[in-house]
């Protein structure tokens, strides 16, 4: 039976991304991404809930994220869910779910209808254009 583990998120970085090098010399970056759901409750009062997603990337992703992203940057992330498990100091098994990033697009914030320019909504770094499907 086939399976699929794919995640698409659009949100804002909650802090500047962090880059580090693994013991094997590979670059990895991590960043938090906030997505916010907004709705009106039964009384018509606006409500919102923000989810925080821990993201990380390897290969070319760290250099691109460090160069083009900072706290508040709006991005579209494509990746997969990964679960890491470990034993805590208290002896209990702990786990966390993260997003392993395969692709990232930088999105322009649109503040008003006058700012809406379809050709300039998506910023794609020059060295990523060859990877775009369109």
């Amino acid at each position: 039976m086939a399976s699929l583990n794919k995640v698409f998120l659009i949100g804002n970085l909650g802090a500047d991304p962090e880059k580090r090098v693994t013991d094997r010399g590979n670059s990895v970056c991590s960043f938090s991404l906030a997505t916010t759901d907004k709705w009106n409750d039964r009384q018509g009062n606006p409500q919102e809930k923000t989810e925080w997603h821990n993201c990380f990337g390897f290969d070319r992703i760290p250099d691109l994220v460090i160069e083009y992203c900072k706290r508040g940057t709006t991005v579209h992330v494509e990746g997969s869910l990964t679960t890491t498990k470990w034993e805590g100091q208290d002896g209990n098994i702990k786990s966390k779910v993260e997003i392993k990033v395969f692709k990232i697009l930088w999105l322009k914030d649109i503040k008003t209808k006058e700012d809406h320019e379809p050709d300039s909504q998506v910023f794609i770094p020059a060295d990523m254009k060859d990877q775009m499907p369109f």
Side-chain angles (χ1 to χ4, degrees), residues 4-56:
L4 177 67
N5 180 356
K6 196 81 135 169
V7 175
F8 296 94
L9 297 171
I10 295 177
N12 299 315
L13 269 69
D16 290 342
E18 297 176 9
K19 181 179 172 183
R20 62 190 184 284
V21 178
T22 67
D23 294 339
R24 294 183 176 178
N26 298 322
S27 293
V28 61
C29 74
S30 56
F31 57 93
S32 61
L33 190 69
T35 57
T36 303
D37 188 21
K38 297 181 181 184
W39 70 95
N40 291 329
D41 64 17
R42 290 184 178 179
Q43 292 76 34
N45 299 317
Q47 303 290 319
E48 70 177 47
K49 181 180 179 191
T50 300
E51 294 285 341
W52 289 94
H53 311 277
N54 294 317
C55 302
F56 69 94

Side-chain angles (χ1 to χ4, degrees), residues 74 106-111 115-117 120-123:
T74 304
W106 292 261
L107 305 178
K108 175 184 175 189
D109 290 329
I110 300 173
K111 308 253 188 272
D115 291 340
H116 181 69
E117 297 175 28
S120 63
Q121 282 186 10
V122 178
F123 170 73

Side-chain angles (χ1 to χ4, degrees), residues 47-84:
Q47 303 290 319
E48 70 177 47
K49 181 180 179 191
T50 300
E51 294 285 341
W52 289 94
H53 311 277
N54 294 317
C55 302
F56 69 94
F58 292 101
D59 300 326
R60 292 177 33 194
I61 299 291
D63 294 330
L64 294 170
V65 170
I66 291 296
E67 183 174 348
Y68 294 105
C69 293
K70 62 180 181 177
R71 180 177 185 259
T73 302
T74 304
V75 295
H76 173 277
V77 166
E78 179 181 338
S80 64
L81 292 176
T82 65
T83 303
T84 304

